Amino acid sequence: MTAKKAFERLPTSVKPINYNIRLHPDLEKFTFTGVEVIDVEVKQSSRTLKMNSAEIEVQSATFISSGKTMTSTAITTCDEDETLTVSFDSDMPLGTGQVKLDFTGILNDKLRGFYRSSYTAGDGSLKRIAVTQFESTDARRAFPCWDEPAIKATFDVTLVSPVKTVALSNMPVIKENIEGDLKVTTYDRTPIMSTYLVAFVIGEFDYVEGKDRNGVLIRTYTPVGKKAQGEFSLDVAIKTLPFYNDYFEIPYPLPKLDLIAIPDFSAGAMENWGLVTYRETALLVDPENTSSGTKQWVALVVGHELAHQWFGNLVTMEWWTHLWLNEGFASWVEFLCVDHCFPDWNIWLQYVNMSLKRALQLDALDSSHPIEVPVGHPNEIDEIFDAISYEKGNSIIRMLQNWLGAEPFRKGLALYLKKFQYSNAFTEDLWAALEESSGQPVNKVMSTWTSQIGFPMITAELAETTDEVRIKVRQQKFCANGDDSSAQSWFVPISVISQSNPDKPTCYLLEGKEGEILIEGAKPGDWIKVNPGLIGMYRLNYSDEMLKRLLPAIKNQALGAADRLGIQEDLFALAKAGYNNTANLLTLMGAYVNERNYVVLSSINGNLSELGSLFSHLPCFTQFKAMRRRIFSRILEEVGWEKKETDGHTDALLRNMLVVTLGKSDDEQVLARCQELFNTHYTGGKQIEADIRGAVYLTVRQDGTDETYRKLMDLFNKTDLHEERERVQRILGTGPNAALRSETLEFAMSESVRSNDTPFVIHGVANAGPEGRDQTWAFIKNKFPVFLERYSGGFLFTRLVQVTSNFTTMDHYKDIEKFFAENKAPSAERAVKQSLESIKLRAAWLERDGESVAQWFTEQGL
């Protein structure tokens, strides 16, 4: 077998200084022509010039220096390396010069590089769009360039487009000329920046605009006729930009900021400097039809992308190994931003379910990876845009901020950004700035979290006397398979509160395997809570006595919501890994009889749903559904079906969750009420409230009838609101009828479903129980070449692979392992390993605890 060629970064003999780029896309033929003149500095004499290029044909290349022009003798490309080499008959002279290239390319349909999109306007006309998505390494599909984050330059952009279109780039327009039915738009020069942040959009759009308190012009662009749906995100951006100005102590450096909704978009959004692109559902909010959950997501995504304007754009990671510097930080500060804009949303408590939990789940796997992982080829880069870079990254930042203190942490960030603005940085540079601001050994502590896989499990035991309370703590690596052989350790900031002193934590840095902590203000007999607020990224394994003392504080809610949530989250993880028994977890649930907090209930429900997925093919699944009805039906009675004037933001989220859960649990009253609401809604009567509309659709789809399916499809075809279309298409395949599930899978591949939505429609079928999973996996295998062609190298291909992770038998494991051994999945190899490991873990969990759980259900009279 031929050894895989080692990846090499571009030579440093020639450095770009400024790109002058002129592009003319043809929105009918899906091609573009381009001319670029690149100001360069030749640092070492060479007859060749090597840069990145993919799917581009270069017609001519010249080098100009000191008035002399050198014409290329050869232009060669390497598809594997995505490089372009231009050769000359003599050395390019040292010093400054210009490289001039004429080229053509395609507006592809792969949602990457320079690609095409479209939408149908309210009058039925088709509106075509040319748009870019360059992160991580796809600027090379729009123009030949040095497509590495550390090779920064400035950019002068000119776009040629039809007169009736809006043409946008990173900077404001400085000149626009009309040439027949075309316009030539030239933009101001950008700051020095990385290629992956350059952006162009051409199409017909409406917009709403405003200025922040510092006079920055902000616009939200929408499809024609939908500009009212841009008001909410515009308002969030207007509030957010000054907040970040103050927090980072650096003004937003560009004169304008555009946010634009793109109909076909692979990720949630992309932080292009000054021109942020979004999925429609991540930017647009319809006052009548958008749910509170979607509205919250829009606010978080806007906050995330705007944070990147500093953390990523102003200061950029030196190489993709340090991706987490971009994504981990932005994923943390988005919550800070939303808490500032919407303090009544209780977003930091939701953070535990939305971010910390995902990080702990993935990082417990053997197939996880360190936050900092060496990457080379673009296929490897795509694989690390995952919960480790995002969620583990932001979780350790949250833990670090708490350990250092909010103000020393903020000052350190500002110091880091000022020192490295308009340049590149390594992780160690951030640690050095935080050490300077705080005086703490940040690098020594945090390198244990970024350089190795996993996180610790802290075992806590009481060691109290008549005079004082201490706890003994020891750490070991938490493993999803219950293995305890690892010698890994971390520097772990630990905080502890007690019943007698709940508001002033005792803080301790565990530097070795074991330690002993004197709990300040605690009295013998107190409950003791380790990791209050769930700030630390570790699992807690309490001694029996410590857990016993905590149970009354859960029931009477003397413990805060985050701590009530955390106790059952930790025990769930321990049971799943085999450190404890699942029946003990179910017994613990009895302490939550008085729970009414949405986030805590959502955590409990999520864990029960995972259990339900595990047992869905067993006889005890009927008893499981009865248990869920017992827990949640009385809460829905209290909350009610309709929004009240006294409702807060999370009340709407709770109501939706309860309807979904009870519908899946065959609650007869919920099934009947949903059918009633749906029938009235469908026939043009009272419309279902946006906050529970998706839950009602999901519930009525479970009747499995062709009539309901056709009604839902009719709603899909009649709406032009993307959120409503998503509501329908993601639940179409969830019913019990195999023929309708097959129809949904074929529908997912049709032109009726946007390419970026297809994987989510397929996921819906996989969520239809064991039969749905089998049906979906068979479909993916059959269509694999199509998926490979359509999605390989992007986020969506990984999402498809993840469909396999919920199987529970070793027969499925062997089938999936064999398939991917014979059918390579570039950019998703790590996802395949993680899915296989998850299957093996689920099979072991079921074998280990299946009988005891079934016995528990029987003992409860279910």
Side-chain angles (χ1 to χ4, degrees):
M1 182 182 290
T2 305
K4 186 177 179 180
K5 186 172 67 174
F7 175 81
E8 294 180 357
R9 290 169 66 169
L10 292 172
T12 57
S13 54
V14 178
K15 176 186 176 183
I17 299 169
N18 179 71
Y19 295 81
N20 190 310
I21 305 166
R22 178 186 171 107
L23 293 173
H24 180 184
D26 188 322
L27 296 178
E28 299 299 326
K29 297 179 180 178
F30 307 134
T31 60
F32 64 89
T33 59
V35 178
E36 65 179 332
V37 178
I38 312 170
D39 296 333
V40 299
E41 179 185 0
V42 180
K43 294 185 163 187
Q44 291 178 268
S45 295
S46 176
R47 294 189 177 193
T48 60
L49 178 71
K50 190 173 184 180
M51 37 200 319
N52 292 115
S53 182
E55 299 176 353
I56 284 177
E57 292 186 13
V58 177
Q59 282 78 43
S60 66
T62 56
F63 181 80
I64 306 164
S65 179
S66 301
K68 296 181 180 180
T69 299
M70 300 167 58
T71 301
S72 62
T73 56
I75 301 172
T76 58
T77 59
C78 176
D79 292 342
E80 182 182 356
D81 292 342
E82 298 183 340
T83 55
L84 167 77
T85 302
V86 180
S87 302
F88 301 97
D89 58 7
S90 60
D91 286 348
M92 294 175 289
L94 296 176
T96 58
Q98 289 184 322
V99 177
K100 183 176 184 295
L101 302 171
D102 294 276
F103 56 92
T104 56
I106 58 170
L107 292 175
N108 68 70
D109 59 355
K110 304 296 190 298
L111 309 179
R112 58 196 295 219
F114 203 8
Y115 71 93
R116 61 184 185 262
S117 180
S118 64
Y119 69 91
T120 302
D123 61 3
S125 60
L126 182 67
K127 308 294 185 183
R128 299 192 188 278
I129 300 168
V131 60
T132 57
Q133 168 58 40
F134 290 163
E135 191 179 29
S136 55
T137 56
D138 288 315
R140 63 192 68 179
R141 299 179 193 278
F143 56 95
C145 57
W146 284 261
D147 202 10
E148 297 181 4
I151 308 179
K152 291 190 171 187
T154 54
F155 296 82
D156 296 320
V157 174
T158 298
L159 298 176
V160 182
S161 64
V163 170
K164 62 182 179 180
T165 59
V166 173
L168 302 172
S169 189
N170 304 80
M171 297 296 287
V173 175
I174 56 172
K175 184 172 63 175
E176 190 168 272
N177 296 326
I178 304 300
E179 299 180 0
D181 59 354
L182 297 175
K183 64 179 178 180
V184 180
T185 309
T186 302
Y187 305 88
D188 205 352
R189 177 170 291 183
T190 71
I192 186 169
M193 59 191 278
S194 302
T195 50
Y196 78 90
L197 296 168
V198 177
F200 328 120
V201 181
I202 294 172
E204 293 183 51
F205 298 94
D206 285 341
Y207 67 84
V208 289
E209 69 177 12
K211 290 186 176 182
D212 74 357
R213 72 171 189 233
N214 299 309
V216 176
L217 178 64
I218 303 173
R219 287 178 174 172
T220 293
Y221 285 86
T222 75
V224 172
K226 295 185 177 181
K227 67 180 183 179
Q229 295 177 27
E231 293 284 1
F232 177 76
S233 55
L234 176 66
D235 182 61
V236 173
I238 287 173
K239 292 175 181 175
T240 297
L241 218 56
F243 173 71
Y244 286 155
N245 285 347
D246 296 341
Y247 190 78
F248 298 133
E249 298 181 6
I250 297 175
Y252 173 70
L254 273 61
K256 64 95 173 176
L257 173 66
D258 295 329
L259 294 73
I260 185 165
I262 305 299
D264 298 285
F265 200 79
S266 63
M270 175 61 208
E271 66 266 21
N272 315 297
W273 217 355
L275 175 55
V276 186
T277 45
Y278 294 81
R279 224 176 230 259
E280 285 190 358
T281 50
L283 188 69
L284 305 183
V285 170
D286 183 293
E288 297 299 321
N289 295 293
T290 293
S291 68
S292 297
T294 297
K295 195 172 178 181
Q296 176 176 290
W297 188 48
V298 168
L300 285 166
V301 177
V302 170
H304 182 102
E305 303 308 327
L306 268 56
H308 276 311
Q309 308 302 300
W310 287 264
F311 235 91
N313 300 5
L314 183 65
V315 179
T316 311
M317 74 266 149
E318 193 277 338
W319 183 244
W320 300 102
T321 294
H322 307 278
L323 172 70
W324 87 278
L325 280 176
N326 280 18
E327 300 302 346
F329 181 81
S331 298
W332 172 79
V333 83
E334 69 184 61
F335 286 87
L336 194 72
C337 156
V338 169
D339 189 53
H340 166 76
C341 294
F342 305 99
D344 60 327
W345 283 9
N346 207 4
I347 200 68
W348 277 118
L349 182 57
Q350 293 188 63
Y351 167 93
V352 175
N353 282 344
M354 297 170 69
S355 288
L356 178 61
K357 181 173 183 174
R358 292 180 62 202
L360 292 168
Q361 286 176 330
L362 181 55
D363 206 31
L365 300 177
D366 288 340
S367 51
S368 181
H369 62 85
I371 283 179
E372 292 188 304
V373 57
V375 292
H377 194 275
N379 282 347
E380 300 172 29
I381 297 168
D382 291 332
E383 287 197 80
I384 63 168
F385 281 84
D386 64 4
I388 299 302
S389 295
Y390 284 74
E391 267 60 69
K392 184 178 181 181
N394 76 54
S395 295
I396 68 167
I397 285 171
R398 178 171 172 256
M399 179 172 65
L400 176 61
Q401 187 228 24
N402 185 74
W403 176 49
L404 299 181
E407 190 56 18
F409 178 80
R410 189 196 64 78
K411 287 186 176 297
L413 292 180
L415 181 66
Y416 166 80
L417 290 170
K418 289 171 184 174
K419 184 174 182 178
F420 294 98
Q421 59 185 323
Y422 302 109
S423 63
N424 299 80
F426 297 83
T427 297
E428 291 77 13
D429 297 319
L430 176 59
W431 296 159
L434 291 167
E435 284 188 353
E436 184 176 336
S437 67
S438 69
Q440 296 287 355
V442 176
N443 186 59
K444 182 181 79 168
V445 171
M446 297 310 295
S447 61
T448 67
W449 293 90
T450 59
S451 63
Q452 58 183 343
I453 291 173
F455 56 89
M457 174 172 68
I458 304 296
T459 298
E461 297 179 350
L462 282 167
E464 65 182 16
T465 67
T466 56
D467 300 319
E468 62 183 19
V469 178
R470 295 176 180 268
I471 59 169
K472 293 180 179 180
V473 294
R474 67 177 186 277
Q475 64 164 301
Q476 68 184 80
K477 183 178 185 292
F478 180 89
C479 295
N481 62 6
D483 180 32
D484 60 0
S485 62
S486 173
Q488 286 178 242
S489 65
W490 292 258
F491 288 96
V492 188
I494 295 177
S495 55
V496 188
I497 59 172
S498 67
Q499 185 173 352
S500 297
N501 193 13
D503 300 321
K504 186 179 179 183
T506 297
C507 299
Y508 178 84
L509 182 65
L510 179 63
E511 300 187 28
K513 283 283 191 179
E514 299 181 351
E516 188 167 297
I517 308 172
L518 174 64
I519 313 303
E520 298 173 8
K523 297 177 182 178
D526 276 357
W527 54 254
I528 305 296
K529 177 67 178 67
V530 183
N531 197 20
L534 300 188
I535 301 296
M537 191 185 160
Y538 49 85
R539 288 296 185 195
L540 247 298
N541 185 11
Y542 288 106
S543 67
D544 290 344
E545 178 60 26
M546 290 185 72
L547 184 58
K548 180 181 176 182
R549 292 186 188 183
L550 286 165
L551 295 182
I554 296 172
K555 193 169 185 178
N556 64 25
Q557 301 193 350
L559 283 171
D563 294 318
R564 301 195 304 273
L565 182 157
I567 291 169
Q568 63 86 29
E569 274 289 347
D570 283 332
L571 190 55
F572 176 81
L574 293 171
K576 184 179 176 182
Y579 295 105
N580 209 310
N581 186 279
T582 307
N584 292 338
L585 168 72
L586 294 172
T587 300
L588 172 72
M589 296 297 182
Y592 292 84
V593 64
N594 298 318
E595 190 59 64
R596 294 297 181 271
N597 181 279
Y598 159 70
V599 185
V600 180
L601 289 169
S602 178
S603 171
I604 292 170
N605 184 53
N607 291 335
L608 290 177
S609 294
E610 189 169 350
L611 275 176
S613 173
L614 189 70
F615 299 128
S616 59
H617 63 295
L618 299 177
C620 67
F621 188 53
T622 300
Q623 295 166 297
F624 169 81
K625 290 191 286 188
M627 180 190 70
R628 284 213 298 193
R629 293 196 299 270
R630 179 185 292 181
I631 294 172
F632 293 112
S633 60
R634 54 191 168 78
I635 303 175
L636 180 58
E637 290 175 8
E638 296 172 15
V639 171
W641 284 79
E642 296 185 358
K643 185 177 181 180
K644 306 180 183 73
E645 289 185 6
T646 55
D647 278 358
H649 173 71
T650 56
D651 292 311
L653 303 181
L654 175 60
R655 185 176 292 112
N656 176 74
M657 184 203 83
L658 292 170
V659 174
V660 169
T661 300
L662 290 167
K664 288 182 176 180
S665 302
D666 298 334
D667 184 290
E668 291 184 2
Q669 290 184 333
V670 169
L671 294 174
R673 182 65 184 274
C674 285
Q675 194 64 60
E676 177 189 344
L677 290 171
F678 178 74
N679 290 339
T680 304
H681 176 89
Y682 180 75
T683 54
K686 183 179 179 182
Q687 298 298 282
I688 304 169
E689 289 183 4
D691 284 325
I692 62 168
R693 194 178 301 170
V696 171
Y697 289 173
L698 176 65
T699 301
V700 299
R701 176 65 189 92
Q702 291 175 61
D703 69 4
T705 65
D706 186 81
E707 181 185 1
T708 299
Y709 188 89
R710 301 303 158 203
K711 287 179 178 178
L712 285 164
M713 189 65 80
D714 187 43
L715 290 173
F716 174 87
N717 290 325
K718 286 180 176 178
T719 184
D720 68 346
L721 180 67
H722 197 69
E723 181 182 352
E724 179 74 356
R725 293 173 73 87
E726 278 199 2
R727 280 191 191 110
V728 175
Q729 67 190 13
R730 292 192 182 195
I731 59 90
L732 276 174
T734 58
N737 186 307
L740 292 178
R741 290 199 300 265
S742 291
E743 184 175 336
T744 303
L745 289 169
E746 294 299 336
F747 166 73
M749 305 298 291
S750 72
E751 292 186 358
S752 296
V753 176
R754 293 193 179 277
S755 178
N756 58 315
D757 291 331
T758 295
F760 301 97
V761 180
I762 292 171
H763 263 271
V765 181
N767 289 335
E771 297 84 2
R773 285 196 291 271
D774 285 330
Q775 208 168 347
T776 303
W777 172 231
F779 184 79
I780 289 175
K781 288 190 289 185
N782 184 49
K783 298 284 188 181
F784 192 75
V786 178
F787 291 132
L788 198 61
E789 168 66 20
R790 187 187 284 195
Y791 298 120
S792 181
F795 306 110
L796 296 174
F797 191 64
T798 298
R799 294 302 300 265
L800 279 169
V801 169
Q802 290 169 341
V803 166
T804 62
S805 64
N806 283 331
F807 285 111
T808 57
T809 71
M810 291 308 296
D811 286 341
H812 285 110
Y813 177 95
K814 292 172 185 176
D815 181 40
I816 293 163
E817 183 181 45
K818 181 175 183 292
F819 179 82
F820 283 113
E822 297 170 352
N823 299 271
K824 298 303 178 185
S827 79
E829 292 176 358
R830 195 186 304 275
V832 170
K833 292 178 182 177
Q834 290 167 350
S835 286
L836 287 171
E837 185 179 354
S838 294
I839 295 168
K840 187 179 288 187
L841 291 168
R842 286 167 63 83
W845 185 16
L846 185 59
E847 182 179 1
R848 187 177 60 244
D849 285 0
E851 289 186 9
S852 62
V853 168
Q855 179 63 30
W856 186 90
F857 284 140
T858 301
E859 291 172 355
Q860 301 302 308
L862 293 166

